[in-house]
Amino acid sequence: MHIRFVKIEDLPQLIMLCKAHADFERADYNAHNKQEALSTFLFRPNPHLKCLVVVQDDILIGYATFMKQFSTWDADFYIYLDCLYLKETARGRGLGQRIMAQIKTYAISQNCIAIQWQTPEFNTKAIDFYTKIGATSKDKKRFSLQL
């Protein structure tokens, strides 16, 4: 197994992982036009969206997407980890720690002060993992206003 940045030929598998991730989080997911949209945001010059994938025998078994953002309260930049998902068979092998280490290295290279993310309250295994790697949480509700 190895971790690398996504390639354009990975997009069909990445979309399947996104669907599995949404199912895991009990959320709706519509794959329509996702390949075109993700291609635009991941592969244009100087893309804002970054994506690491975990590969085993040419099969994607996990992914993480993240981007650089600004915090007004901190008056500095941070990395926002949008998604981190591993297939169930890939969990418990240290891959989450390896992904987070790569994102941390990237964040430092971008002069960011932190990495921020969220996870559903019912995802107790993820919460335990994040606590184990030294992360702390803030109690908030996430809202979405569709446009």
Side-chain angles (χ1 to χ4, degrees):
M1 287 178 277
H2 64 284
I3 301 169
R4 61 166 169 77
F5 281 97
V6 70
K7 298 177 184 176
I8 199 156
E9 59 266 21
D10 295 327
L11 288 178
Q13 289 188 68
L14 178 61
I15 291 165
M16 290 178 11
L17 281 176
C18 290
K19 170 71 169 116
H21 188 185
D23 290 346
F24 178 79
E25 290 200 2
R26 305 171 191 161
D28 293 329
Y29 183 78
N30 181 351
H32 182 70
N33 290 332
K34 289 297 190 282
Q35 186 163 333
E36 182 179 302
L38 286 173
S39 179
T40 298
F41 291 108
L42 287 167
F43 301 109
R44 67 180 171 199
N46 300 314
H48 294 289
L49 181 64
K50 306 291 184 188
C51 179
L52 292 172
V53 292
V54 182
V55 184
Q56 181 178 27
D57 300 323
D58 297 322
I59 305 290
L60 299 190
I61 59 171
Y63 77 103
T65 53
F66 52 97
M67 64 213 71
K68 187 175 181 178
Q69 294 188 346
F70 189 82
S71 168
T72 305
W73 287 4
D74 293 324
D76 216 334
F77 288 96
Y78 67 96
I79 293 296
Y80 178 71
L81 175 64
D82 181 54
C83 292
L84 172 56
Y85 178 75
L86 295 168
K87 287 184 175 180
E88 190 170 345
T89 57
R91 297 177 194 151
R93 298 173 163 188
L95 293 168
Q97 289 181 349
R98 288 176 51 197
I99 289 170
M100 291 301 289
Q102 285 194 24
I103 295 170
K104 183 179 178 181
T105 298
Y106 177 82
I108 291 168
S109 79
Q110 297 296 303
N111 298 312
C112 293
I113 61 166
I115 302 168
Q116 297 182 18
W117 66 93
Q118 58 195 7
T119 195
E121 291 177 0
F122 64 79
N123 193 352
T124 56
K125 287 184 181 182
I127 293 167
D128 290 345
F129 165 70
Y130 296 139
T131 303
K132 179 181 170 185
I133 65 171
T136 57
S137 69
K138 297 177 184 176
D139 290 332
K140 291 186 175 185
K141 294 274 187 193
R142 181 177 179 112
F143 293 88
S144 178
L145 179 61
Q146 299 301 311
L147 305 174

